[in-house]
Amino acid sequence: MNAWEIRTDGGIDALAATERVRPEPAARELVVRVHAVSLNYRDLLHVLGYADRDRWPLVPCSDGAGEVVAVGREVTRFRVGDRVAGAFFQGWNAGPITAEVMETALGGRLQGMLAQYAVLAEDGAMKVLPDWSFEQAATLPCAALTAWNALVTQGRLAAGETVLALGTGGVSLFALQIAKLHGARVILTSSSDAKLERARALGADDTINYVSHPDWEKRVLELTGGRGVDHVVEVGGAGTLEKSCLAARHGGSVWLIGVLTGFQATINPLQVLQKSLRVQGIYVGSAGMFRAMSAAFGANRLEPVIDRVFAFKDAPDAFRAMQAAGHFGKLVVRVD
Ligand SMILES: NC(=O)c1ccc[n+]([C@@H]2O[C@H](COP(=O)([O-])OP(=O)(O)OC[C@H]3O[C@@H](n4cnc5c(N)ncnc54)[C@H](OP(=O)(O)O)[C@@H]3O)[C@@H](O)[C@H]2O)c1
């Protein structure tokens, strides 16, 4: 089968198109003919040298969807022909995250989805909604579930609350859509006025250009009458964390998700404790959360925002597009 591999820390140009042996399922596994893969910033980081070297050569990417072509002898919930997406963590069905769960990430400790065939655990496969394309289904496992876990599972988002989403990448646009699904108000930032216009069309109530307004946290406070927001979907990391804490209300939640601007942040602990902020790390989510999210998306006809679909042979260009950050929503690779 054809696959892409990370073999060195040479970056996007060193991604290798290769032939691999088509996998066979173990007793409680499925083999899936992958039809679409979506990229996450984490996959780009892996290609740029952050993947675990002991896994090289590594097929990158956590998020893919396709058709079951073989099932192990103990599999009871899936049949050949079923349309499925893989869960980011193959070993996290329910309950809290554990160190063992962390060893089961697709395209991380386990081989990923950017290949014609992939192996999934029975508990790590999710049925795709009947009227969804493989491209749409492939956008859900990481970005959508992370936003869902933060705002819904952990955050218990209520109608009328206010959510702040940073930028217009995969996680942030799903956060916008999930927040609107729950009747929340959304304030969204972007470096681009054109993207802000598109975000308003998707339902964003207020928007801020964080380049022309570098003190965007002050604007957030103005927009909330000085109170601050109930939830911040914090994808920026080092460069935005302090501002996100300033933009949150007393007793509000800052969902620590991303590192788009770097890893080493300085933060005044007084700022967190005096406002009684809940600053909580989120790491994607479980298969149980995925099923709840998928049902909600289906019932509400939520459509993932796909910026562009690339051919399999052009997968490196998809990573280049992610690095250039011109995208709005998700970048997808069709695996033909
Ligand atoms: N913890 C988890 O489980 C988890 C899961 C998924 C993702 N993540 C992390 O979350 C982050 C986002 O991931 P993604 O896949 O959504 O990335 P993405 O699609 O590549 O998002 C890129 C966008 O982020 C925005 N951005 C960049 N710098 C910003 C800044 N200083 N302030 C506000 N927005 C900024 C830009 O939006 P504009 O062009 O609109 O300015 C950019 O286009 C990454 O760090 C990723 O590793 C974590």
Side-chain angles (χ1 to χ4, degrees):
M1 67 167 183
N2 295 321
W4 286 95
E5 282 179 352
I6 301 170
R7 294 179 181 168
T8 68
D9 57 6
I12 299 172
D13 292 342
L15 262 177
T18 188
E19 280 274 322
R20 283 193 160 210
V21 177
R22 182 181 147 169
E24 293 297 328
R28 298 206 51 219
E29 288 179 346
L30 327 169
V31 172
V32 174
R33 168 68 173 92
V34 181
H35 287 289
V37 168
S38 91
L39 263 53
N40 292 287
Y41 190 77
R42 164 254 197 196
D43 306 316
L44 173 64
L45 289 178
H46 283 183
V47 171
L48 295 179
Y50 289 93
D52 293 340
R53 285 160 192 251
D54 64 339
R55 289 303 192 254
W56 290 353
L58 175 74
V59 175
C61 295
S62 55
D63 292 10
E67 193 179 340
V68 176
V69 291
V71 295
R73 64 180 185 285
E74 291 173 24
V75 169
T76 57
R77 289 191 292 111
F78 294 95
R79 288 187 301 195
V80 168
D82 283 349
R83 302 163 79 243
V84 298
F88 182 97
F89 286 118
Q90 287 291 288
W92 189 8
N93 195 31
I97 194 163
T98 62
E100 290 73 32
V101 165
M102 295 290 291
E103 293 296 307
T104 68
L106 287 172
R109 299 302 291 166
L110 305 183
Q111 296 295 324
M113 301 295 286
L114 197 53
Q116 285 180 309
Y117 295 89
V119 178
L120 298 177
E122 182 176 18
D123 286 345
M126 310 291 137
K127 289 231 167 92
V128 167
L129 292 167
D131 49 353
W132 278 43
S133 67
F134 287 121
E135 284 84 358
Q136 290 175 315
T139 65
L140 299 186
C142 179
L145 188 56
T146 302
W148 179 271
N149 184 5
L151 291 175
V152 183
T153 311
Q154 303 286 341
R156 308 256 170 233
L157 180 63
E161 288 191 321
T162 302
V163 172
L164 171 63
L166 306 182
T168 56
V171 174
S172 300
L173 288 194
F174 275 118
L176 162 62
Q177 292 177 295
I178 290 166
K180 295 315 293 179
L181 208 65
H182 286 77
R185 173 190 180 196
V186 176
I187 302 173
L188 182 137
T189 71
S190 173
S191 57
S192 150
D193 287 339
K195 289 184 180 182
L196 289 175
E197 197 177 322
R198 292 177 71 183
R200 284 193 294 276
L202 265 182
D205 299 275
D206 295 286
T207 55
I208 306 168
N209 186 317
Y210 64 81
V211 174
S212 50
H213 292 86
D215 291 339
W216 48 266
E217 76 285 5
K218 292 186 181 146
R219 182 75 189 122
V220 172
L221 290 174
E222 278 169 26
L223 287 167
T224 53
R227 178 175 180 266
V229 299
D230 300 283
H231 303 267
V232 185
V233 180
E234 220 307 320
V235 294
T240 55
L241 178 57
E242 190 174 17
K243 287 173 180 288
S244 289
C245 290
L246 290 167
R249 71 161 164 87
H250 282 73
S253 299
V254 178
W255 306 107
L256 210 48
I257 288 171
V259 288
L260 285 165
T261 63
F263 301 99
Q264 295 290 336
T266 315
I267 187 154
N268 182 348
L270 269 183
Q271 190 195 4
V272 175
L273 73 91
Q274 285 181 340
K275 283 175 82 176
S276 297
L277 292 181
R278 178 180 181 188
V279 180
Q280 187 180 320
I282 293 286
Y283 210 152
V284 195
S286 68
M289 294 175 206
F290 191 115
R291 284 187 282 269
M293 174 186 78
S294 186
F297 284 9
N300 290 280
R301 305 196 174 282
L302 186 147
E303 290 210 0
V305 180
I306 296 176
D307 182 86
R308 200 170 152 196
V309 180
F310 293 78
F312 190 66
K313 67 177 175 46
D314 299 327
D317 288 338
F319 284 98
R320 287 186 192 100
M322 174 155 270
Q323 193 171 35
H327 59 289
F328 182 85
K330 297 297 294 178
L331 296 166
V332 172
V333 174
R334 186 177 295 126
V335 185
D336 19 49

